[in-house]
């Protein structure tokens, strides 16, 4: 064989051997004209970009919890006490003049509603002289947000025209200021219930018509008040007579006396021009405040 033919045969054999080796590894060569198949492996889920943290906002200010209302204090059967006091002629106009003969008698069985009423009596010898009774209670050393004074009243038959007036009140003295809560039922010369202005020392008419009480039966009276100790004002809120409530919202100024703290409730009978002796009975007297 000529040398150049032998050389070509050798080169061809080497190339053929190399191609056999590459194909047996299962790979693809860079010389293949076909594209590699697309990968069937799932694409990795992209890691989500973290959202920026919201800018914290200021915590809302909580609504303040209202403080508890002062506890309700209730004084019951106040009329049954033996501790009613008087101050002589202090029930008279100007707190002067002759002292009437008067008395109170607790523990009356009849007339009564609960087996024990108190009889208040006056037998004056001078016209328009009056009888004033009061009871000292534990002083109230803060503003009164609600005050109720109530009782049942009985006038015996034959005495229904004897009074000049029937009066009742509560009174608070705090820090030297006098807060007077008084009503008057006038029998002669006036046609409406009246409230007392302690500072001006006068009775002022309300819009509530006054009708003399029917004798021989019980009548229920409820008076509602409160005060403002910052501005020194007294409020008459309402008066209820035999179940009929009359809102009034009457105000007047407190009076500075400089006296010590105290709290009282009171009851008064006023004699007429004759004067005619008379009695009334009181039962279920109650004072409530907070």
């Amino acid at each position: 064989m000529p040398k150049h033919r032998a050389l070509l045969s050798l080169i061809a054999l080497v190339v053929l051997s190399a191609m056999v080796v590459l194909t047996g590894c299962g790979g693809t060569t860079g010389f293949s004209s076909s594209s590699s198949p697309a990968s069937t492996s799932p694409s990795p889920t992209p890691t989500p970009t973290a959202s920026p943290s919201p800018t914290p906002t200021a915590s809302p200010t909580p609504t303040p919890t209202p403080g508890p209302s002062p506890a309700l204090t209730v004084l019951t059967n106040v009329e049954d006490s033996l501790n009613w006091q008087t101050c002589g002629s202090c029930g008279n106009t100007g707190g002067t003049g002759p002292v009437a003969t008067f008395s109170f008698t607790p523990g009356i069985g009849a007339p009564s509603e609960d087996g024990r009423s108190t009889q208040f009596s006056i037998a004056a010898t001078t016209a328009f002289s009056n009888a004033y009774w009061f009871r000292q209670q534990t002083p109230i050393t803060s503003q009164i947000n609600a005050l109720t004074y109530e009782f049942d009243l009985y006038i015996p038959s034959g005495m229904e025209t004897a009074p000049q007036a029937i009066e009742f009140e509560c009174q608070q003295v705090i820090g030297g200021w006098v807060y007077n809560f008084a009503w008057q039922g006038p029998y002669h010369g006036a046609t409406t219930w009246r409230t007392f202005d302690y500072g001006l020392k006068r009775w002022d008419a309300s819009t509530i018509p006054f009708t003399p009480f029917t004798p021989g039966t019980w009548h229920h009276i409820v008076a509602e008040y409160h005060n403002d100790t910052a501005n020194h004002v007294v409020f008459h809120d309402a008066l209820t007579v035999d179940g009929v409530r009359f809102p009034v919202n009457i105000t007047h100024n407190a009076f500075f006396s400089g006296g010590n703290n105290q709290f009282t409730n009171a009851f008064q009978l006023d004699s007429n021009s004759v004067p005619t002796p008379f009695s009334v009975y009181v039962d279920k007297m109650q004072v409530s405040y907070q």
Side-chain angles (χ1 to χ4, degrees):
M1 176 179 298
K3 287 184 180 181
H4 70 276
R5 291 183 66 185
L7 180 59
L8 290 174
S9 298
L10 180 60
I11 292 171
L13 179 62
V14 172
V15 171
L16 178 62
S17 298
M19 291 179 64
V20 171
V21 171
L22 289 172
T23 303
C25 290
T28 57
T29 69
F31 301 103
S32 170
S33 61
S34 62
S35 300
S36 301
S39 172
T40 57
S41 300
S43 301
T45 303
T47 303
T49 303
S51 300
S53 299
T55 303
T57 57
S59 299
T61 303
T63 302
T65 302
S69 299
L72 180 67
T73 299
V74 181
L75 311 175
T76 59
N77 298 316
V78 176
E79 81 285 352
D80 290 339
S81 174
L82 298 175
N83 296 324
W84 287 97
Q85 303 176 56
T86 187
C87 45
S89 61
C90 60
N92 295 339
T93 302
T96 61
V99 178
T101 299
F102 54 85
S103 64
F104 79 97
T105 308
I108 302 295
S112 73
E113 296 176 295
D114 58 9
R116 290 179 58 86
S117 69
T118 294
Q119 180 190 57
F120 293 91
S121 302
I122 184 169
T125 56
T126 303
F128 306 120
S129 54
N130 309 314
Y132 178 84
W133 298 267
F134 69 97
R135 280 202 57 194
Q136 291 277 3
Q137 307 292 351
T138 301
I140 303 173
T141 56
S142 60
Q143 178 172 288
I144 299 175
N145 298 310
L147 170 64
T148 301
Y149 190 22
E150 62 184 294
F151 56 89
D152 291 348
L153 179 69
Y154 182 100
I155 298 180
S157 297
M159 297 184 176
E160 58 268 27
T161 62
Q164 175 69 22
I166 296 175
E167 303 173 13
F168 53 92
E169 71 175 18
C170 288
Q171 181 167 284
Q172 178 192 29
V173 181
I174 176 173
W177 288 88
V178 179
Y179 298 88
N180 182 268
F181 311 94
W183 282 101
Q184 180 193 74
Y187 273 72
H188 302 283
T191 59
T192 64
W193 283 88
R194 304 197 294 182
T195 61
F196 190 61
D197 188 318
Y198 193 97
L200 299 178
K201 299 295 186 289
R202 73 183 187 196
W203 288 99
D204 295 330
S206 73
T207 58
I208 305 172
F210 176 76
T211 301
F213 294 105
T214 302
T217 190
W218 287 97
H219 300 274
H220 188 56
I221 300 171
V222 183
E224 301 169 55
Y225 320 94
H226 72 281
N227 64 0
D228 178 347
T229 56
N231 296 298
H232 309 300
V233 179
V234 177
F235 294 84
H236 289 69
D237 297 313
L239 181 68
T240 300
V241 180
D242 291 335
V244 181
R245 185 175 184 270
F246 301 91
V248 289
N249 193 32
I250 296 172
T251 64
H252 60 259
N253 294 327
F255 174 78
F256 187 77
S257 68
N260 296 327
N261 291 350
Q262 62 175 314
F263 179 63
T264 60
N265 70 283
F267 187 76
Q268 179 170 320
L269 300 179
D270 297 355
S271 291
N272 62 16
S273 59
V274 175
T276 304
F278 68 97
S279 298
V280 302
Y281 297 83
V282 173
D283 208 348
K284 297 184 178 181
M285 180 176 278
Q286 180 170 293
V287 178
S288 307
Y289 61 87
Q290 62 181 27

